[in-house]
Amino acid sequence: MDEFTEALIARVRAARTGVAEAVAAHDSYAVSLAVDELEDALRLARDNGVEVPSADADRAAMEQERG
C-alpha cells in the first residue's frame, strides 16, 4: 500500500472517529462538520480508486490491535 492510500484510509478513520465523538458529545454542529469531513474523505478515496474498509471492519481491526 502506498503512502497516498495509507493517508486516505487514515483520514477516513479519523473522520469516523470525529463523527463518533461529536455524536457522543451531543454536539449537532460538530456532528455536521465531522460528517462533512467524512463525506469528503470517502469521496476523495472513491475518486482515486482507494478501497476503504467498512466501519465494522475498521472497528474489528482496531480491537484486534488492542489485544
Side-chain angles (χ1 to χ4, degrees):
M1 186 178 313
D2 65 7
E3 285 183 46
F4 180 73
T5 301
E6 288 179 9
L8 275 176
I9 292 172
R11 182 175 172 187
V12 170
R13 285 181 176 149
R16 286 176 175 160
T17 299
V19 170
E21 290 172 352
V23 169
H26 304 284
D27 184 340
S28 59
Y29 180 70
V31 169
S32 177
L33 292 177
V35 168
D36 285 346
E37 170 60 19
L38 178 56
E39 288 174 347
D40 284 345
L42 289 170
R43 179 192 49 76
L44 187 58
R46 183 179 54 248
D47 290 350
N48 286 281
V50 174
E51 287 191 38
V52 178
S54 69
D56 291 335
D58 255 356
R59 219 173 292 117
M62 290 171 66
E63 287 176 8
Q64 213 171 26
E65 287 176 5
R66 290 183 195 148

